[in-house]
Amino acid sequence: MEAMTEFAPVYPYPLPEIYQNSADFALTVNGIDIPVTVYTKDYDYASLATGEGKVRFELTLHGGEAIHNWEISPRKLGISPQVEGSKLIFTLARGEYLIVRLNGRMKHLVIAADVAETQVPATNGEGIFNIASAPYSLAGTADFEEGAQDAELLSRTAALQQALDDASRYGTAAGGGAQGTVYIPAGVYCISNLVIGSNTAVYLEPGAVLLCTSDAARLKEHWFKDSVGKPVTWWIATAYQSDNIRLFGRGTLDGNGEALSANGMINNLLVPIATSDFHLDGLTVRNASAWAITTIRSHALSFADLKMFNSMNMGENDGIDVCESQQVTVRRAIGVGLDDPFSTKSWMETTDIASGKTPWPGSPEPVTDVLFEDCLAWTICYGFKVGQGVQQVQERITFRNCVVYDAAVGFGIHHKYGTAEARNITFENMEVEHLSYMNDDNSAWMTMFIIDGSGLGVGPVSDIVIRQVNVYDKGQGSAKLQGTSDAPLTNVTFQNIYMPGKQEAAASLEEMNFGIREYEHDIRILPERVQTQQEGL
């Protein structure tokens, strides 16, 4: 078979009017200019889609500064770029999610190259509810004069909610798993709260932005977050007992979180609650001021080609938290932000998040059968985590083929709140590249520890597998295996853990830098060396 020589078609996403071009970076892909969105002091980002074929990236530093060192994550891709003055050039076999740092600068560039869309709906027709068409007639333009925004904001939100309701009625009447499709053209739509009903698909064109209003008075308070002392809104949520919902396309859900927080409220951007058969594909979710995506007492959920871009300056802005939900997959995703990008949690009915002005429906549920796969994390906290809340059982949770670009803790289990068990948890084919931060005195490639954070008791952790891990940075402190006398940490298997600079797998806990150990039992270490392709010949 001949080597692939054709270059992929490239589909840049338009730069929405509320965003600005980066002053630091320019990017072309296969010769096509890609808008680079200026974002935070830590990173700007560029988004696009590519078809099948080679993908040639040309990244330029503005101002003519010569590139003298570089780093591209994930390291496992083995990218060896060509440097030409202020330009970095490299070619990949397909589009990837990447984090690039040049000349040791604080500001990075995040590149999110999606796979090309294959299921773009028609703009109009049977079962299509295009919000630009009558009776909705919404224009995709921003209106940010807060004092003059009220009437327009309420009208715009009501029209979009009407489109969602019309689509739900259409899909339900059609039966057989049909969906009505709300079509959102490119443009900016500043809105307050929305609720998505059963049998509804929502398509956001590239360049389409749903923007959360920063006017707290126009948003519903759903609960009060004790740790930050602010009310929280579920900006976009599902209807209770709903099913067959899809959000897709290449548009953006923008939480406008920093502006909203300054006005006294924070937001969960997307809340699939008491729903099933829920699917998200291709969207960018950015600027949350609380946990961006929060699944609640739901099952059969999937998230793919997901970009979660949050600030490194706003606390508790997790990417996706799988709460009391089952059969959840998060595949091919990137999460950037101060707080944990990827985690699972379970609570009690009296916990603030579950017992606010809008209490969670039903009874507490376990977290079971969750898969995080092909995910890239950059955070000041944990890249991938089970906990802190383990107040209901969490089991059969897998993190696979995931990369930590930078964090305080690469991955782990933090059983801080609750007496339930966390069990049958697997971390496999993981990469930990940097650990530049410290979080609650933790800086380690992994931790597993149990403490009583609420004074109500503790719960055990058991049947954990950590295998095939490449550690490039062990952290500033010691890794932990720490149970308690009432809740031990038991039956843990390590297999093929490669510590920094080592060619052989670690053969002891000491070699893995586990300097803090208490009440841990039945620990197995399998230092079998992975057979290389050459050795297998």
Side-chain angles (χ1 to χ4, degrees):
M1 180 180 295
E2 293 184 1
M4 178 180 61
T5 57
E6 293 297 320
F7 284 88
V10 173
Y11 310 96
Y13 302 158
L15 186 71
E17 64 174 297
I18 57 171
Y19 305 149
Q20 296 180 346
N21 277 301
S22 172
D24 293 90
F25 306 105
L27 178 68
T28 66
V29 178
N30 290 354
I32 296 176
D33 290 334
I34 306 299
V36 179
T37 302
V38 65
Y39 194 33
T40 73
K41 66 180 179 61
D42 297 288
Y43 68 103
D44 294 342
Y45 67 88
S47 300
L48 67 147
T50 66
E52 293 186 2
K54 290 184 178 181
V55 184
R56 177 183 169 91
F57 297 84
E58 296 189 9
L59 172 59
T60 302
L61 271 178
H62 283 313
E65 178 184 341
I67 296 171
H68 53 79
N69 65 60
W70 53 267
E71 181 176 5
I72 305 174
S73 178
R75 290 178 60 161
K76 65 182 179 181
L77 295 177
I79 299 172
S80 297
Q82 175 185 352
V83 177
E84 296 179 358
S86 60
K87 184 174 292 186
L88 191 81
I89 304 168
F90 56 94
T91 301
L92 303 180
R94 64 174 189 176
E96 300 279 359
Y97 293 171
L98 307 169
I99 299 173
V100 182
R101 188 179 191 187
L102 300 177
N103 293 351
R105 289 183 168 199
M106 172 182 286
K107 177 164 279 193
H108 298 59
L109 177 64
V110 176
I111 302 174
D114 293 317
V115 295
E117 296 183 86
T118 59
Q119 298 180 342
V120 178
T123 57
N124 287 285
E126 181 70 20
I128 304 295
F129 301 84
N130 190 320
I131 65 170
S133 302
Y136 320 110
S137 303
L138 289 179
T141 183
D143 179 2
F144 297 108
E145 295 185 19
E146 296 287 356
Q149 182 177 306
D150 289 356
E152 177 64 23
L153 172 70
L154 294 174
S155 175
R156 187 186 299 121
T157 303
L160 186 46
Q161 184 64 60
Q162 185 63 54
L164 291 169
D165 294 344
D166 291 346
S168 178
R169 279 191 289 270
Y170 175 89
T172 300
Q179 294 176 321
T181 299
V182 176
Y183 192 103
I184 302 178
V188 180
Y189 308 86
C190 185
I191 55 171
S192 59
N193 299 99
L194 296 175
V195 177
I196 305 173
S198 295
N199 306 310
T200 303
V202 182
Y203 176 77
L204 282 81
E205 271 189 354
V209 179
L210 296 185
L211 178 73
C212 182
T213 177
S214 62
D215 185 352
R218 297 302 177 190
L219 291 162
K220 182 178 180 180
E221 177 185 338
H222 290 92
W223 62 288
F224 191 88
K225 192 167 183 63
D226 295 337
S227 59
V228 298
K230 290 183 179 179
V232 188
T233 189
W234 301 337
W235 178 38
I236 301 174
T238 59
Y240 293 172
Q241 309 310 317
S242 59
D243 67 355
N244 190 28
I245 294 173
R246 184 183 184 199
L247 278 69
F248 68 119
R250 296 295 186 266
T252 298
L253 305 180
D254 189 326
N256 202 13
E258 294 185 352
L260 180 61
S261 181
N263 289 334
M265 177 177 272
I266 56 178
N267 51 7
N268 301 132
L269 305 194
L270 180 62
V271 183
I273 180 169
T275 192
S276 62
D277 194 15
F278 175 97
H279 307 281
L280 182 149
D281 183 358
L283 299 187
T284 295
V285 178
R286 59 167 263 169
N287 202 2
S289 47
W291 303 350
I293 300 176
T294 308
T295 80
I296 299 172
R297 296 182 184 169
S298 297
H299 68 275
L301 315 175
S302 70
F303 302 84
D305 299 306
L306 170 63
K307 289 79 65 181
M308 298 178 291
F309 297 145
N310 285 328
S311 169
M312 293 289 191
N313 299 315
M314 181 169 292
E316 304 201 40
N317 61 350
D318 297 22
I320 179 168
D321 288 335
V322 177
C323 296
E324 297 184 32
S325 299
Q326 308 82 39
Q327 301 173 39
V328 181
T329 62
V330 181
R331 181 175 284 116
R332 196 166 190 266
I334 180 170
V336 183
L338 184 148
D339 223 328
D340 310 324
F342 303 95
S343 69
T344 63
K345 307 180 189 301
S346 55
W347 304 107
M348 297 172 61
E349 289 180 307
T350 55
T351 307
D352 59 358
I353 190 173
S355 63
K357 284 193 172 182
T358 307
W360 290 3
S363 300
E365 298 180 10
V367 178
T368 62
D369 302 297
V370 179
L371 172 65
F372 297 90
E373 186 170 45
D374 295 325
C375 299
L376 174 59
W378 177 16
T379 177
I380 293 175
C381 298
Y382 287 64
F384 302 91
K385 183 173 79 173
V386 172
Q388 298 173 344
V390 191
Q391 294 178 322
Q392 312 301 321
V393 168
Q394 297 201 40
E395 63 180 339
R396 297 189 300 279
I397 300 168
T398 299
F399 301 85
R400 177 188 300 147
N401 299 336
C402 294
V403 174
V404 178
Y405 168 65
D406 205 352
V409 177
F411 56 87
I413 301 170
H414 189 183
H415 194 317
K416 184 175 182 179
Y417 301 112
T419 60
E421 186 173 9
R423 61 187 180 230
N424 296 317
I425 297 166
T426 300
F427 300 92
E428 62 182 354
N429 296 325
M430 305 290 287
E431 303 251 332
V432 179
E433 297 183 350
H434 297 285
L435 297 169
S436 301
Y437 307 102
M438 183 76 69
N439 175 248
D440 288 338
D441 296 324
N442 293 297
S443 175
W445 68 275
M446 82 160 300
T447 63
M448 286 189 286
F449 64 108
I450 301 164
I451 58 175
D452 186 355
S454 60
L456 299 176
V458 290
V461 173
S462 66
D463 303 319
I464 312 300
V465 175
I466 306 100
R467 62 179 168 231
Q468 204 57 48
V469 179
N470 288 326
V471 180
Y472 298 96
D473 185 346
K474 69 179 182 179
Q476 304 167 48
S478 295
K480 293 181 179 178
L481 287 177
Q482 192 172 28
T484 73
S485 58
D486 296 324
L489 178 63
T490 60
N491 194 22
V492 179
T493 299
F494 294 94
Q495 182 175 13
N496 294 323
I497 312 300
Y498 293 87
M499 298 302 289
K502 302 296 183 181
Q503 299 300 313
E504 298 291 325
S508 68
L509 293 176
E510 289 75 15
E511 289 184 19
M512 287 184 264
N513 198 39
F514 281 103
I516 301 175
R517 295 160 50 188
E518 289 185 300
Y519 300 104
E520 84 284 5
H521 309 295
D522 301 319
I523 310 297
R524 288 176 297 281
I525 300 171
L526 304 177
E528 297 175 358
R529 184 163 58 92
V530 176
Q531 189 179 45
T532 66
Q533 183 177 6
Q534 183 175 359
E535 290 170 332
L537 296 177

